Amino acid sequence: LMIKEYLKCLLIFAKIGISAFGGGYSMLPLLQGELVTKRHWLSEEELTDYFALAQCQPGPLAINISVLISAQRYGAWGGLCGALGMTLPSFLVILILAMLMENFASIPIVVHALNGIKVVVAALVMYSTYSMAKTGIKNIATVIIFLAALVLLALDLINPIIIVLAAAATGLVIGLIKKKLKNREEN
């Protein structure tokens, strides 16, 4: 029975992996459609949480999120199946394209097709940003964290990892302060 579930997990992430052109951020709408809307494995907020957690881990975002979600659902073997499902189709496509690209890279229609893909990837990233902002920006504190992170990233003054860690620490401090204030009101 579990082998059937592992295979299902592998195939679900393979479907997402084969469709996710442009990296981790562009796959958020695919994850949302497949895992939140269609299969009800996660809520919107849980997907956003997994996405944030996957960004904090070293390694490719797509693999990290597939492992986190599938391991939570099916354990360690499920995590492995999620990772294989996410990477195997892309690996095969890239292998085939790499063999063909050397011969076709200078053909104008191929160049135009690749430019078209870049535009769609940019749109997917913008949509992902919008979706994550909807679930993550909930009050004035999160608006301030968002804007501060956006400015620091745009100015390229601080390493993005430090920005993520600082935002997490700030959110934690705000949560602790709110909890302390709530406890005072109840007493």
Side-chain angles (χ1 to χ4, degrees):
L1 182 66
M2 281 309 289
I3 292 175
K4 186 177 177 181
E5 293 298 314
Y6 294 148
L7 183 59
K8 181 171 103 176
C9 180
L10 186 134
L11 293 174
I12 288 168
F13 281 101
K15 178 181 172 184
I16 294 167
I18 195 72
S19 306
F21 294 99
Y25 295 104
S26 65
M27 76 175 181
L28 186 59
L30 301 169
L31 289 165
Q32 187 177 23
E34 189 69 30
L35 303 178
V36 175
T37 306
K38 183 177 178 182
R39 300 196 184 275
H40 306 290
W41 281 12
L42 307 165
S43 68
E44 289 271 346
E45 192 163 302
E46 288 171 323
L47 179 60
T48 301
D49 291 344
Y50 277 119
F51 210 78
L53 185 59
Q55 290 179 52
C56 295
Q57 296 176 336
L61 180 60
I63 296 171
N64 290 346
I65 197 154
S66 66
V67 169
L68 284 171
I69 293 170
S70 56
Q72 174 66 32
R73 187 161 182 87
Y74 296 113
W77 286 106
L80 178 62
C81 290
L84 283 174
M86 187 63 80
T87 56
L88 195 57
S90 299
F91 173 76
L92 295 174
V93 168
I94 289 170
L95 184 64
I96 292 166
L97 287 176
M99 291 189 297
L100 297 174
M101 198 58 143
E102 190 173 302
N103 298 328
F104 301 107
S106 60
I107 298 173
I109 196 163
V110 173
V111 172
H112 294 303
L114 292 174
N115 287 336
I117 290 172
K118 289 177 190 175
V119 173
V120 171
V121 168
L124 287 170
V125 169
M126 290 177 73
Y127 176 77
S128 297
T129 303
Y130 170 74
S131 294
M132 289 179 70
K134 272 191 339 188
T135 60
I137 301 175
K138 297 180 178 185
N139 52 42
I140 191 69
T142 54
V143 168
I144 292 169
I145 293 171
F146 170 77
L147 292 175
L150 186 64
V151 168
L152 290 171
L153 288 168
L155 295 175
D156 199 22
L157 297 174
I158 300 174
N159 185 309
I161 294 169
I162 294 171
I163 295 170
V164 169
L165 293 174
T170 304
L172 182 62
V173 168
I174 291 169
L176 291 172
I177 291 170
K178 284 183 177 182
K179 184 177 180 180
K180 192 172 187 177
L181 291 173
K182 185 178 177 182
N183 287 341
R184 279 188 189 170
E185 289 175 5
E186 290 175 357
N187 293 330

